[in-house]
Each structure stands twice: as structure tokens, then as C-alpha cells.
Amino acid sequence: MASGSDRNPIIIGGLPSQVPDFDPEETQEWLDSLDAAVDERGRERARYLMLRLIERAREKRVAVPEMRSTDYVNTIATKDEPFFPGDEEIERKVLNATRWNAAVMVSRAQRPGIGVGGHIATFASSASLYDVGFNHFFRGKDDGLGGDQIFFQGHASPGIYARAFLLDRLSETQLDAFRQEKSKAPNGLSSYPHPRLMPDFWEFPTVSMGLGPLGAIYQARMNRYMEARGIADTSASHVWAYLGDGEMDEPESLGQLSIAAREGLDNLTFVVNCNLQRLDGPVRGNGKVIQELESQFRGAGWNVIKLVWDRSWDPLLAQDRTGILVNKLNTTPDGQFQTYATETGAYIRDHFFGDDPRLRDMVKDMTDQQILHLGRGGHDHKKVYAAYAAAKAHKGQPTVILAQTVKGWTLGPNFEGRNATHQMKKLTAEDLKRFRDRLHIPIADSRLEDGNPPYYHPGRDSEEIQYMHDRRKGLGGYVPTRVVRAKPLALPGDKTYATAKKGSGQQSIATTMAFVRILKDLMRDKEIGKRFVLIAPDEYRTFGMDAFFPSAKIYNPLGQQYESVDRDLLLAYKESPTGQMLHDGISEAGCTASLIAAGSAYATHGEPLIPVYVFYSMFGFQRTGDQFWQMADQLARGFVLGATAGRTTLTGEGLQHADGHSQLLASTNPGCVAYDPAFGFEIAHIVQDGLRRMYGGTPEENEDVFYYLTVYNEPIQHPAEPADVDVEGILAGVYRYSSGERGQIPAQILASGVAVPWAVEAQRILADEWNVKADVWSATSWNELRREAVDVERFNLLHPEEEQRVPYVTRKLSGAQGPFVAVSDWMRSVPDQIARWVPGSYQSLGADGFGFADTRGAARRFFHIDAQSIVLAVLTELAKEGKIDRSALKTAVDRYDLLDVASADPGAAGGDA
């Protein structure tokens, strides 16, 4: 290990350690004065003096960094540790059995012919952290409430399965089906926590990417929100998030710490397993990740508990009156501690204690074996219990526990602390024997020789298994467990949607406003009105939702402790502890986390919430696509509104706001039901059906989907619902909106969203100028049409002897004469999804490429999706079929000046949302 001037600089206590001391004598005088204050007046007086000095330094504009980290020792002093209520010997036996089965399960998954992978080392490092939680803290759901919400670290899933096996919650057959979900169905176990794959077991999908910590913060906030609004009693629920120190590098892991501190979420505890290793090497080889994280969390306003060393260090630290040992701990980088985890006691004696006679003297009476077993705090049940108890008792702040461990702990010298340990998943016979001996597992050598070791169960009547059951009974049931006990909601009838179905009359409104009007009527409903959770990233006014401010109000646990600048206005900004609207600031990630927490409340707390998340569509699936997958994985429900949708409707804002692809991204998410409606009456039917599918039935009937609607900011006149409206077609994805009444040459135009009015205008031009009789179809969902067609083809492929099914889009368009032209404000890939099933020649128009700032008309002419371009596309297809002369095409290009973008009617302004 480097030392002295050769050592890489590291931050100690928030101060740069490499700053030179030009006057050591003066420095010593200051230090002596502080020592005298501590010795004569006590620590509290010394603390006050230090704070006053810092205050005066700031007054004098002396740039002194704040002290954001403390010494590299446990936050909780030995004398302050509470009584440990458990039986440590029994808990050790339980943990040993769990460790064995977790490792064996992954090792057996690599038997010949299988080889499905897995992770051993992560749980090995964090086993004690989980065990103390299971035995003493994690509350179950047997009391009918939500219990605790636990976000398990994804790579630790084998340990959670192994514990469930000991409790007879999982069988040996299921353990042997780890990562074989289909081939071993229905016994397969998912690789990581995954509610959709194991809906009765896991509650929260977590693995890497920082989505676990982000979700945990907003889950804790949602618990407070539900209690404040009188929807569910969440007062006893605590949110635990188990994370890795490497995972904390993800921006999502730390990006929303401030909201947890700002709202005082003392119902939230992060447990960061600091085993000092990433996937391939040290997290901070030249630094100290625990110190770094302490600074970040403390600076964000969290309560920080460091759990660095186990009880074997207590006697050494007690005799460290000069601070030499603490200084050594402070200045030793993580990379060196990782090396110590793999070396001998003699090496540690020479390299850690050996460079100072005072340190050597501390361990002179210790054997090398004793030095070797100076351990990390995350493996000590009593120390872990003390940290958890302190976290639960702390009020006013969220807590983070930074627990130091060794990756691969107890797995033997080939695993412990090795850089490659994360990728290692197969134990050799020698590894197994050493592992067995260390854990005192009664399995004979002969059963380990073939490399396919057996599981170990001490017996259902053994004291350790009975102890496990007793502890879980006392804490309210087994975890993890996902329970759906929400009752069906009484949904409003057709009357609630009547206004939207009447159209907008002479008034022009955007589809965004049409949706908001429907939402306003739904929120008035006595049965479900209070269950709507409105979510927007600082854009309520943009989407015309400021009308909700006076009645629904914005949720703030502190209320509104100021006079709003617009308090005299009708739509004044109003905050309330019981507010219904979540205003998460400019954070799409935070809003989506709120959406997920609200959308899964029906399972988490047995009380359905109906989240409505509205955002700029460009900043939805593209910006937080991982979270929408997380939403589908968590079986969350609700409505997602991509407002200001399309490539050309918000052109004044330019490229960054021009969304031509979110519908395509939405099509990749199996849990997403996506629509691109054109009119208010279509939205009314879609929303009504969405509420029915997600909330209107029994738990078995309700579907685990969420709805994505793209709505626009371009004002149009919305027609009244036709008397013979094709509701089935609206919901399935396509219906004939306008039949051609004039002309003789038949053609078909399919359009979605804001493009439907262009198609209607093209229908008029074709009839008036080209003798073409075109029908206009509103394609409310290209995605749903494709999804149904794919399902049909799959059935036909696997059932060749049964009557072959026909996709809905084919059946719907059969009999429609002429070529088909599809158009939307999306890239062509969106309408191209259904091309193979359209019964006729098919051409699509779309806004492919980058967006730009201009008028709507110019943008649509540039992409050739405006009414005149649709006319040309229809004529082109008719010419291909020989129904018109090709000379008409050049005539159309010249007549409408289609090569000159500036010739297009600029239309309404496209810059305002």
C-alpha cells in the first residue's frame, strides 16, 4: 500500500488531505486549544465553539468546506448498542443453512445440460443484513394492512429463495428450477425479484440500474400520501431498500435523495451493502466509497449510520487513545481493504499494523488467526440489529445504513473478496467441503464429490426452523409476499362521459383538453373520484390542468406556509397536506416512480389508486423507458398521457420536443395498451374501457396493464359521437370514421390522432378535384392492431389443423375497395406495423427524421404528411393499379407546390403547448 507523499489524495472528513501545512507550530496551538476545550468543558461545548468558528469563517468569506463525513468507524458506539433480543446461536444456524442452500442452488443450476447462470457472492456478503431484518424487523401482511415494503437487491435473490425453502414456502423442485421459468413451469423461479413472473411472491422488481432506490423513495412518499388522504392506514409500514455500493453510481440511485429529506420520510431506510466491489473490480480502489456516500447522503439531509466494523474491533478501538488506529482506518483506501480480505493474518499484521509501533503494540497479544478474523460490521448480527433499531427510531429524516461487508463472505478463498467473484457461480468439490466445514453443515464428503451438492434442511421440527416460524408469526407473516385483496371499484356509467361525446361544438380544443374535461368529470364521481392521483413534471398549466389547483390541490405534507403570489386569481396555486395532485418538479423519473407506486397500491396496500401521469410525450417512453418496463414488471395500472404528441404539432419548440416515435417505443412494452385518438368521443370510450379492464372486476378479472394515450396541443373542432359509432372498432384499433360520398374511384385512407383532420381534408380534395371516393378510417391504435394480429398468427402456426383465424384489421378492412394509404404524425414505422395484414396495396406516410422549429404547416409539408401530400400518395397508388394516368402525379405535385415547403399554409401556431 502506498503511503506518505506517494499516496493518492483522498478526502478526509470533507477536507483535502494533501493541503500542505506551512506553519505546523501554529497548527498545533489551535489543536491544543481544541483539546483543552474538550477536556475541560466537554464535547458539547467544543462542538459549539467549532460551529461558531465555522460561522465566523463564512462571515469573513473564508472558503471552508462543510464537514460531510465522519471517522471510518461505526456511528453507534458500543456503549449505545441496544440489547439484542434474538438467540444468536440459533440465528447463526439458520443463516448457515440459508447460505448453504443459496450457494448450492446456483451451483446446481450449472449442472450438465443446464448452465443458466446466477450469482452467489452478493447474497454471501449481505446475508446477515437480510437475516436480522427477517428475524426482527420486516413486517408482514397478516393483519390485513400493507406491512413493510422491501426492495431486495436483485443479485441476492438466491438467498431469499433459500430462506423460503427452509420455511416450506418453496420446494426443492422449485429451487432446482431456478432460472428455468418455462422449461420447469409451474415450478420455475425468476432470476431476480419479478412480480409479473412470480405474482404471489415478489412485490417489487429490482436489479441494477438504480430503479430500486428511486422506487423505494417514492413508495415511502406514496405511503404518506395515502395516509394523508385517508385512503389507507400506512402508519406502520416501513420501506427498506437493499442496495449495492456499485449500484449507487447509477444517477437514479442518488438523484432523488432530496425529496426524501425534504418531506421527512422517516418511514424509509436504505441499506447499502458496501462490499467494496463492482462486477469487475473495486468500487473505489483509491478512495473510500463509504465516506463518499456518507458525504452525499448527509449533504442531502439524510440520517447516516455507518456500520463498518464487527465487535472484534471494539477492544482495539477502546484502547486507541491517541487516534492512531482511527487515522489508519481513515487513510487506508478501499482497494487495500479488499486485499486484506484475501490475505493472511500475518500479512495484515505486517501491512496494516506494521508501519507504526503503536499499532503493532495494539495487536502484540493477538494471534495471526485472531487478526485475520477482525471482521466487517455487516456480518455482525448485534451490530446490524443496533443499526436497524436506530434507523426505525429516528424521526424526521430518512436513514441510510452503510454496511461494510466482504463479497463472497464464507464461500472460501477462491471467492472471498476476489475481483472475479461476481461472475463465479460454480463451486468445486473442494470449495464445497471448505464451505460446508465453515458453516458446520452435516453433509458427508461422498455427497459432494460429483459437484452436484444436496440442499440442507435441519428438519421441520428443529429448533431453528421453529424459531424462524415464530419470528415471522410475531412480525405479521412471511415476506416477501404479494397479496391482491382490493375490492372491485364501482365505476361511473355512460353519463359521466356524455359531455365528451357531444363534441366541442364551434369551439376548437386540443385532444389534451378533451381528456382533461373527461378527467374533471371522473374526479367528481363519489365512488372513484378520490382515488385519482394526478401527476405531472411541473407542467400542469401547460396541459390546462391548473383548473384542478383550487379543488384538488397540490400535495405537500407541510401544507402551504406562504401566501401564493397568484392567491387572488381563480386558478391560484394551492398546496395542502391532503392534496390530490403530485407535483414532482422537473423530474420525469420522479413522476414515473410516483406513477408506479400509485399504480400498484391495489396490491401493496389493498386500496386501488388511479394514477394519471401527464407529460410532454417526447419526455416519456424515450426518457424513462426503463421505468415503464419496471411499471409493467410490477403489475402497476393507470393512465399515462403523452401530451403535445407528434413530430409536428409542437414545432415551435424544435427538435428536442418533437416526438415522432414514442408510440413505437410503447409498442415494445407488453404491459402497455397504447392509443392515438383523434377526438374526444374516442378518448371517452378508451378511458371508460381502460377503467373497466384495470379496475372494474374482481382481482382475478382485472388486467395488469397500463394505458398510454398520445394527445395533442393543436386545437380542432371535435365532432359529436356518431349515432352508429363503432365502439368495438375504436377499442380494437380501427373504425371507419368518414365514408366517401363523392367520386367514382375508390380508395382508403387510414389516419391516427391529429392526422385524421388532414385525412378528411384530403378526402374532400380527392372528391372535388380527382374523382376519387376515399373512405377515412381512424386508426386509434396501430399497436393494438398489430398485437392482436401477431397473436392470431401465433395461434395459426401452432394449430394448423384447426380453423385458421383472421386478424381483426384484415377482417375490418376486407371489402374496402382501392389502395390503402396510412398517415400519422409519427414515423412510418408506426403505421407500418400493420402493413402485412392490410388486404390490399399499402403505402404509409410519416414524419421520419429529426424535428425542427417552424410552423406546423411547413413541418407537415416538409415531411409530406399534410392533406395535399396524402392526396398525392393516394393518386400514386391508384396510378400503380392503372386506375388513373401517371401524368396526374406530376400535375398534383405542381398544383399543390409540394416541393416548396414555404408554399404550405402555416396553419395555427405550433409553439405553445
Side-chain angles (χ1 to χ4, degrees), residues 647-648 660 755 758 821-832 843-849 859-866 869-870 873:
R647 186 81 81 193
T648 68
W758 318 337
V821 171
V823 62
S824 73
D825 208 10
W826 307 99
M827 58 194 302
R828 292 188 182 195
S829 298
V830 176
D832 279 351
Q843 180 184 162
S844 63
L845 304 178
D848 288 75
R860 288 161 188 169
R861 178 58 54 86
F862 174 83
F863 288 118
H864 295 296
I865 54 177
D866 59 356
S869 298
I870 297 171

Side-chain angles (χ1 to χ4, degrees), residues 441-453:
I441 302 297
I443 294 177
D445 283 356
S446 60
R447 303 191 66 190
L448 305 178
E449 297 295 345
D450 65 356
N452 194 34

Side-chain angles (χ1 to χ4, degrees), residues 504-508 717:
S504 63
Q506 296 303 309
Q507 182 185 12
S508 293
Q717 290 185 4

Side-chain angles (χ1 to χ4, degrees), residues 309-519:
W309 308 113
D310 74 5
R311 72 191 77 176
S312 64
W313 286 87
D314 290 347
L316 294 178
L317 290 166
Q319 60 179 294
D320 183 32
R321 301 188 183 282
T322 63
I324 183 66
L325 177 58
V326 171
N327 182 65
K328 184 68 174 179
L329 297 173
N330 284 343
T331 55
T332 302
D334 284 354
Q336 192 63 41
F337 277 125
Q338 186 182 359
T339 298
Y340 292 145
T342 67
E343 287 292 346
T344 64
Y347 178 94
I348 298 170
R349 184 191 298 274
D350 291 341
H351 290 78
F352 183 81
F353 294 101
D355 59 358
D356 190 291
R358 292 169 293 179
L359 289 174
R360 288 197 302 271
D361 188 62
M362 283 185 179
V363 296
K364 65 181 181 181
D365 296 327
M366 295 179 67
T367 66
D368 287 348
Q369 193 69 9
Q370 288 173 320
I371 291 176
L372 180 64
H373 288 101
L374 289 170
R376 313 290 168 92
H379 303 309
D380 188 324
H381 276 210
K382 287 187 177 180
K383 299 286 187 183
V384 174
Y385 180 88
Y388 285 9
K392 285 294 296 291
H394 189 78
K395 300 300 179 186
Q397 292 174 289
T399 293
V400 60
I401 297 171
L402 304 173
Q404 184 173 210
T405 65
V406 175
K407 196 161 189 176
W409 182 242
T410 72
L411 290 174
N414 293 331
F415 284 79
E416 290 180 351
R418 302 292 176 181
N419 280 337
T421 190
H422 188 82
Q423 309 301 337
M424 297 167 70
K425 52 185 67 68
K426 182 68 175 177
L427 292 158
T428 67
E430 290 306 310
D431 291 330
L432 288 166
K433 290 175 185 178
R434 281 192 294 262
F435 188 36
R436 173 205 59 191
D437 293 344
R438 187 163 182 178
L439 300 180
H440 306 286
I441 302 297
I443 294 177
D445 283 356
S446 60
R447 303 191 66 190
L448 305 178
E449 297 295 345
D450 65 356
N452 194 34
Y455 298 109
Y456 170 65
H457 197 295
R460 290 176 174 80
D461 296 328
S462 64
E463 64 174 354
E464 49 263 54
I465 299 302
Q466 290 306 309
Y467 182 90
M468 295 174 73
H469 284 295
D470 290 344
R471 294 309 307 140
R472 291 316 312 159
K473 183 177 180 180
L475 287 167
Y478 300 102
V479 291
T481 298
R482 183 177 180 274
V483 180
V484 179
R485 50 180 169 235
K487 297 179 181 179
L489 296 181
L491 301 179
D494 294 344
K495 185 178 180 181
T496 303
Y497 305 93
T499 300
K501 294 176 181 179
K502 290 179 181 178
S504 63
Q506 296 303 309
Q507 182 185 12
S508 293
I509 63 171
T511 47
T512 299
M513 186 54 63
F515 174 84
V516 170
R517 289 181 176 181
I518 293 170
L519 179 61

Side-chain angles (χ1 to χ4, degrees), residues 587-651:
S587 172
E588 285 81 7
C591 290
T592 311
S594 288
L595 165 72
I596 295 169
S600 52
Y602 73 94
T604 309
H605 294 292
E607 290 289 348
L609 295 177
I610 308 173
V612 177
Y613 172 30
V614 191
F615 52 82
Y616 274 67
S617 68
M618 184 65 168
F619 307 142
F621 272 86
Q622 173 176 299
R623 194 170 181 87
T624 56
D626 286 338
Q627 285 179 280
F628 284 115
W629 273 97
Q630 182 187 22
M631 183 176 186
D633 291 343
Q634 197 164 315
L635 312 181
R637 304 163 184 168
F639 292 95
V640 178
L641 273 293
T644 62
R647 186 81 81 193
T648 68
T649 61
L650 195 62
T651 49

